[in-house]
Amino acid sequence: MISQKQAEEEMVSRFNETEHEEKDEEKGEDDSIFSIKSILWHGGSVYDAWFSCASNQVAQVLLTLPYSFSQMGMLSGIILQVFYGVLGSWTAYLISVLYVEYRSRKEKENVSFKNHVIQWFEVLDGLLGPTWKAVGLAFNCTFLLFGSVIQLIACASNIYYINDKLDKRTWTYIFGACCATTVFIPSFHNYRIWSFLGLGMTTYTAWYLAIAAIVHGQVDGVTHSGPTKLVLYFTGATNILYTFGGHAVTVEIMHAMWKPQKFKYIYLFATLYVFTLTIPSATAVYWAFGDQLLTHSNAFALLPDSGWRDAAVILMLIHQFITFGFACTPLYFVWEKVVGMHDTKSIFLRALTRLPVVVPIWFLAIIFPFFGPINSAVGALLVSFTVYIIPSLAHMLTYRSASARQNAAEKPPFFIPSWTAMYAVNAFVVIWVLVVGFGLGGWASMTNFIRQVDTFGLFAKCYQCPQPVAVKHH
């Protein structure tokens, strides 16, 4: 029997070998532009992973959290953000452990991942078999599909506050074409500069929301009546569940790292930073506008017209383009594997292969232009399983035998005393999210979603637009 220490040393040496192979290959490819490539384009460090996680976690959700606060009240909003942030960090940790377990097993069998990006469904397949692969693939792909749809709807919703000469549906057509250009970004190695810029943009927007709301002050006769209805309360709760559920791309971000075994706590540190953006901005906007937010799922709708707001809108638009790429890239990988083009080195050939993935996303964004309600529905029906339940169950099943626990690539973390405690935490996550997130949240968000369809209809030309539309002068 190989000792735990020997197994760990062997795994680290294998990862290091792969890292040196990849780096040598890059240098050989093009020494003349290596420095530019490494600074702007080809990232694989711990910092790159942190930027990717933090940037990917908050985008348009920043604008819907004040809406969630109006549905559930300020105290619940803050408590649930912290609770789901910690829960999300835990399941991201589990995913990272399972990835390292899968990769170390495969590398012992001399499997090479030189031109292959490992994805979550492949980890499930390798550790638990084809049924788990199918379940993981179905939930992950559907979640990423609707995550991309939400970015398109959000783009149209935001640009409307700068230019209302075109309706939101027309803006969705335009941004669908713009976002289709993400087919040219090969993998998560190549998001270094985008992740850095994206986080800067959301940081600006979050603090703009907080400061603008405080400067504006409370509206006349402001009321903070939430929570008033169970449907609204659990709709808001599932939007927060969705906020901290950006794990659908965790495995791809890990795979893009030179040393994936260092990922363990990155998601937690990213979440702690995200708290500094989400809690102050949502609290301030809800304090200023109160119950008005119940009919305005996008916080930009209530803030006064100004150059600062226009800057925030433009930065969010660019960030949503980046987030669209984040959500779509794993879908591109899956599609490439289906059609047998994943190993192709030609960027243009891969881009052509990827285009059919963008079309259904574009179409769905035009059918369902409901910004806030879609977040909650996706949170309850998809994020609950993809992000919380499946990783927890997968971890429990992977390490159910004594031999699996003894030969585990990663032992329980220092703050969990035993495997029994790990099981207890995982069981709590599964039960809580199944009952509160999927059960109550699913009922509430679908009730709310159906109500929106009944009110505005499918293919709504301009969802939640003021009537009549006022012409703005800048």
Side-chain angles (χ1 to χ4, degrees):
M1 185 74 70
I2 299 172
S3 73
Q4 171 63 18
K5 192 175 179 184
Q6 284 173 317
E8 281 177 7
E9 283 171 1
E10 186 184 333
M11 184 181 66
V12 169
S13 72
R14 283 180 185 278
F15 279 129
N16 289 343
E17 278 167 28
T18 310
E19 173 194 354
H20 291 312
E21 274 173 29
E22 287 173 351
K23 283 186 173 175
D24 290 343
E25 191 182 316
E26 279 169 42
K27 284 183 183 177
E29 265 177 29
D30 201 342
D31 275 312
S32 61
I33 57 162
F34 179 69
S35 57
I36 297 170
K37 198 175 179 180
S38 63
I39 291 167
L40 301 178
W41 185 245
H42 214 112
S45 70
V46 170
Y47 302 103
D48 289 306
W50 183 85
F51 275 112
S52 291
C53 288
S55 175
N56 187 42
Q57 218 177 97
V58 283
Q60 94 301 331
V61 169
L62 265 181
L63 309 175
T64 60
L65 282 172
Y67 168 65
S68 298
F69 273 42
S70 71
Q71 294 171 317
M72 61 194 311
M74 198 176 290
L75 184 63
S76 286
I78 294 168
I79 290 170
L80 279 180
Q81 274 200 49
V82 174
F83 176 69
Y84 282 126
V86 171
L87 220 61
S89 300
W90 172 253
T91 53
Y93 167 78
L94 296 181
I95 291 170
S96 74
V97 167
L98 293 170
Y99 169 89
V100 171
E101 181 68 40
Y102 168 78
R103 187 160 174 178
S104 63
R105 287 186 191 180
K106 287 292 177 189
E107 301 215 344
K108 280 174 191 169
E109 298 166 14
N110 294 318
V111 176
S112 171
F113 296 107
K114 210 169 198 178
N115 291 321
H116 184 93
V117 176
I118 298 172
Q119 293 188 268
W120 176 228
F121 68 90
E122 291 166 320
V123 172
L124 290 172
D125 185 27
L127 298 176
L128 296 168
T131 305
W132 278 85
K133 173 186 176 178
V135 171
L137 191 59
F139 273 107
N140 232 33
C141 288
T142 314
F143 169 39
L144 289 166
L145 182 78
F146 279 99
S148 306
V149 168
I150 287 166
Q151 299 311 320
L152 275 190
I153 296 168
C155 283
S157 178
N158 291 346
I159 191 67
Y160 185 79
Y161 298 114
I162 290 183
N163 185 334
D164 58 11
K165 290 184 176 65
L166 299 175
D167 60 68
K168 290 182 184 178
R169 190 168 67 195
T170 305
W171 280 119
T172 306
Y173 290 131
I174 293 166
F175 278 101
C178 294
C179 288
T181 58
T182 57
V183 296
F184 289 103
I185 301 175
S187 76
F188 283 98
H189 276 304
N190 314 115
Y191 272 97
R192 167 173 277 188
I193 191 68
W194 294 115
S195 299
F196 178 76
L197 291 173
L199 194 58
M201 291 163 188
T202 45
T203 301
Y204 170 87
T205 304
W207 286 107
Y208 157 74
L209 290 173
I211 294 164
I214 292 164
V215 170
H216 180 277
Q218 290 186 308
V219 293
D220 293 337
V222 67
T223 52
H224 299 89
S225 57
T228 52
K229 294 177 182 172
L230 279 177
V231 169
L232 292 179
Y233 187 88
F234 286 108
T235 303
T238 44
N239 189 37
I240 293 175
L241 176 96
Y242 171 85
T243 305
F244 296 98
H247 313 31
V249 294
T250 300
V251 170
E252 288 83 357
I253 291 170
M254 278 188 77
H255 190 81
M257 291 176 71
W258 303 130
K259 295 182 180 176
Q261 70 272 33
K262 286 189 173 182
F263 184 87
K264 283 185 273 188
Y265 303 116
I266 287 174
Y267 198 90
L268 175 62
F269 291 126
T271 300
L272 293 175
Y273 180 77
V274 167
F275 284 153
T276 70
L277 306 182
T278 57
I279 294 174
S281 61
T283 304
V285 175
Y286 179 53
W287 168 82
F289 298 101
D291 290 349
Q292 284 188 19
L293 285 156
L294 287 167
T295 52
H296 296 84
S297 54
N298 188 328
F300 281 147
L302 293 173
L303 288 162
D305 196 356
S306 70
W308 295 103
R309 189 188 75 165
D310 289 355
V313 170
I314 290 163
L315 290 177
M316 282 306 281
L317 286 172
I318 300 167
H319 186 258
Q320 276 151 355
F321 165 80
I322 297 165
T323 311
F324 182 93
F326 264 114
C328 256
T329 300
L331 291 175
Y332 295 153
F333 291 156
V334 173
W335 180 245
E336 286 169 1
K337 289 170 186 175
V338 168
V339 296
M341 295 291 281
H342 188 58
D343 294 338
T344 307
K345 290 196 173 181
S346 164
I347 288 177
F348 290 100
L349 206 54
R350 286 178 74 183
L352 278 173
T353 306
R354 292 169 168 194
L355 273 176
V357 176
V358 180
V359 176
I361 292 167
W362 207 349
F363 189 60
L364 285 165
I366 292 159
I367 300 176
F368 301 113
F370 315 123
F371 187 43
I374 276 199
N375 278 11
S376 299
V378 168
L381 305 179
L382 299 172
V383 175
S384 55
F385 281 93
T386 305
V387 170
Y388 300 96
I389 294 171
I390 291 174
S392 302
L393 283 175
H395 190 274
M396 292 164 84
L397 290 172
T398 299
Y399 298 109
R400 65 189 180 278
S401 70
S403 62
R405 292 193 293 275
Q406 193 174 348
N407 298 314
E410 292 279 350
K411 296 297 185 196
F414 67 92
F415 53 88
I416 299 279
S418 66
W419 283 101
T420 308
M422 287 280 283
Y423 266 70
V425 173
N426 288 342
F428 168 77
V429 173
V430 171
I431 293 164
W432 175 275
V433 176
L434 200 59
V435 174
V436 178
F438 178 71
L440 295 169
W443 159 73
S445 58
M446 287 315 294
T447 304
N448 190 34
F449 186 79
I450 291 162
R451 195 176 294 152
Q452 300 291 337
V453 175
D454 289 343
T455 309
F456 293 97
L458 301 176
F459 296 98
K461 195 171 185 180
C462 212
Y463 171 66
Q464 285 191 346
C465 296
Q467 299 292 335
V469 176
V471 177
K472 296 178 184 175
H473 299 284
H474 290 278

